[in-house]
Amino acid sequence: HSAPGQPLGPNGETDLRGLAPRARLVVYKVLSDEGFGEDAWIIKAIDHIAQQNENVTSGQAIHGVNLSLGGPFDHSVYGCGFSPICAELRRLWRNGVLVVVACGNEGQLQVQTRDGEVQINTPMSVGDPANLEECIAVGAVNADRPYLYGVSSFSSRGPTADGRAKPDVVAPGERILSCNAHWKTGQKEHYIFNSGTSMAAPHVSGLLAAFLSVRREFRGRPD
């Protein structure tokens, strides 16, 4: 919550609440300020999460992870869903941690034709590590009228490169009020509107966090 009268959102919003406002967050910065990074940075965070859970005497320190990130994978080196990041996330899942991943924003491509530039939908565009079987891959829909507008045009589409159905679910991902990653001291807007499957995935993570807070018998049982 913001201090009374302090505008944080672009429209002066001051009372902001997510899907699971009482959930405790452990935040790992694995990308640069420009939003890019290396696989090794992400894997280091995943390994640290596994260590955190191994160090508790009972239960888990961290029940689920949200990865609003992704990219292509080299199919000449790794099988679909078997990149180094996927291998680490699979280990995390099998040790009882829910894994939620944004499926990517490669749902449309601009193609140059004799009649000009056209946009085409692109199947088999789910990114890595969203192509991992042991994860919940999230696509995007319109936040206000999802049944009218359907899946967002930018949202990556399945199947995966090896023919599996992904994404698993869709969630609001268009014009979502989210943290301003480029905020600097002195700026008013701590929150801005963003679109993408990176905005959709946290909706699912928040929903699952709220669910696990009530149905505790499902903690450690992502399957």
Side-chain angles (χ1 to χ4, degrees):
H1 288 286
S2 62
Q6 180 185 6
L8 293 182
N11 298 324
E13 296 90 348
T14 57
D15 189 12
L16 303 173
R17 184 184 292 268
L19 286 174
R22 298 178 65 182
R24 295 180 180 180
L25 300 181
V26 180
V27 180
Y28 292 83
K29 179 176 170 62
V30 296
L31 302 178
S32 68
D33 291 344
E34 289 72 39
F36 300 97
E38 299 179 12
D39 289 1
W41 303 352
I42 304 169
I43 291 173
K44 185 175 181 180
I46 297 171
D47 286 343
H48 190 266
I49 293 170
Q51 293 172 13
Q52 295 284 85
N53 283 344
E54 290 172 0
N55 290 335
V56 295
T57 55
S58 63
Q60 297 170 304
I62 298 175
H63 299 98
V65 294
N66 180 90
L67 287 89
S68 285
L69 51 81
F73 75 102
D74 189 347
H75 60 83
S76 66
V77 179
Y78 306 111
C80 183
F82 289 90
S83 67
I85 293 178
C86 285
E88 293 300 313
L89 289 174
R90 180 179 291 108
R91 180 167 67 97
L92 211 60
W93 178 281
R94 291 178 177 176
N95 286 331
V97 179
L98 271 168
V99 177
V100 178
V101 187
C103 77
N105 304 319
E106 308 299 327
Q108 277 194 337
L109 286 178
Q110 290 185 339
V111 178
Q112 195 67 36
T113 69
R114 289 165 52 181
D115 298 323
E117 199 173 70
V118 297
Q119 289 186 328
I120 60 173
N121 291 334
T122 54
M124 298 177 67
S125 54
V126 174
D128 185 89
N131 54 24
L132 172 67
E133 177 68 25
E134 294 91 344
C135 83
I136 300 172
V138 184
V141 292
N142 181 271
D144 298 318
R145 298 181 178 182
Y147 294 98
L148 176 63
Y149 296 115
V151 176
S152 304
S153 60
F154 58 78
S155 185
S156 290
R157 289 160 165 75
T160 60
D162 58 350
R164 289 177 288 109
K166 290 279 181 179
D168 300 289
V169 294
V170 291
E174 296 181 18
R175 285 188 52 79
I176 304 302
L177 194 60
S178 181
C179 298
N180 181 2
H182 300 289
W183 182 86
K184 295 181 180 179
T185 303
Q187 291 180 339
K188 289 184 178 180
E189 295 179 353
H190 294 194
Y191 295 83
I192 59 175
F193 288 102
N194 275 316
S195 297
T197 58
S198 287
M199 304 295 111
H203 279 87
V204 177
S205 295
L207 177 67
L208 290 170
F211 173 78
L212 291 177
S213 71
V214 177
R215 302 299 181 193
R216 300 191 173 199
E217 66 269 28
F218 285 101
R219 291 183 180 182
R221 296 170 56 196
D223 286 337

